[in-house]
Amino acid sequence: MPPPTSAPATAPAVAQTPPAVTPPAAPALPDAGPLLRIDTAQSLIAVTVRRGGILARLGHDHVVASHAVTGTVAPSRNVADFQFRLDEMKIDEADLRRIAGLEKQPSADAIEGTRHNMLTKVLDADRYPLVTVHVERRAAGQPLQVAITLHGVTRTLAIPVELREENGVISVKGTVQLKQTDFGLTPFSVMGGAMSVLDPMELRFDLTAR
């Protein structure tokens, strides 16, 4: 009987390397063009809040201001982004009170008390230290679209402004009425509201970028 025929040897399998895959290119971002920077020394945001309640005469109206606004403007895209810290705001500076039409100057102790109440009892500045603002200019001569983020809440408003561009410098100024409750804030009050701060507040801004 002839010997059994051996099965032909099978070549070992060779692992196939998958072809390299080129990831899709990231979408190109629009060129922001040259950026202007907020000139902090020439910029101001000031907020006037007024007293209320049946004992309002015993309290004070207040002006709270930031002289430390930072940020950028992209003229080619008609957008701007800036911010300021709540704990760097100044309380009741005499010249700003005069501009706001507030004559009686509070004492140093009253100003310090206002600062403490504002930062801790109203704004919760330890948790929400920054106010951020995003601005879009959609058409010349039209109100700016302004998104303000305060206390973790963002509200977008159309704000008419006086805007000037000259020699590469942009200046914008205006005023807007806001409500504290729109940003989840509870206006400060004592004695069951007999002395309180009114909900509406007037924000005045004068900003320069270069």
Side-chain angles (χ1 to χ4, degrees), residues 9-192:
T10 303
V14 178
Q16 298 294 316
T17 302
V21 177
T22 302
L29 295 175
D31 182 10
L35 293 178
L36 305 181
R37 297 198 174 276
I38 299 293
D39 185 341
T40 300
Q42 297 295 320
S43 298
L44 169 73
I45 291 177
V47 180
T48 301
V49 294
R50 299 186 183 276
R51 63 194 186 275
I54 59 174
L55 297 179
R57 68 186 185 281
L58 301 179
H60 297 94
D61 299 330
H62 300 288
V63 178
V64 185
S66 174
H67 301 273
V69 184
T70 61
T72 58
V73 179
S76 64
R77 293 173 53 205
N78 288 321
V79 299
D81 289 279
F82 57 90
Q83 64 183 18
F84 58 92
R85 291 186 61 91
L86 293 171
D87 56 7
E88 293 178 344
M89 297 187 78
K90 307 298 183 182
I91 311 294
D92 286 327
E93 295 171 286
D95 56 339
L96 294 183
R97 287 183 62 83
R98 284 194 295 270
I99 292 172
L102 310 181
E103 296 181 357
K104 184 179 178 182
Q105 180 69 20
S107 67
D109 286 345
I111 290 174
E112 185 55 35
T114 298
R115 177 181 178 82
H116 173 77
N117 292 333
M118 177 189 76
L119 293 179
T120 62
K121 298 182 180 181
V122 178
L123 296 174
D124 195 4
D126 284 341
R127 279 183 72 193
Y128 305 102
L130 291 177
V131 178
T132 62
V133 183
H134 175 75
V135 182
E136 296 183 7
R137 183 189 185 194
R138 298 184 177 172
Q142 296 297 311
L144 301 181
Q145 298 298 311
V146 182
I148 303 172
T149 300
L150 166 65
H151 197 245
V153 177
T154 301
R155 292 285 180 262
T156 300
L157 307 97
I159 303 179
V161 300
E162 178 185 332
L163 189 150
R164 184 172 61 187
E165 299 180 68
E166 186 175 358
N167 299 324
V169 178
I170 295 178
S171 300
V172 60
K173 61 177 62 177
T175 60
V176 61
Q177 296 286 334
L178 304 173
K179 286 186 176 181
Q180 297 180 59
T181 51
D182 286 344
F183 294 91
L185 301 172
T186 300
F188 181 74
S189 67
V190 294
M191 294 183 289

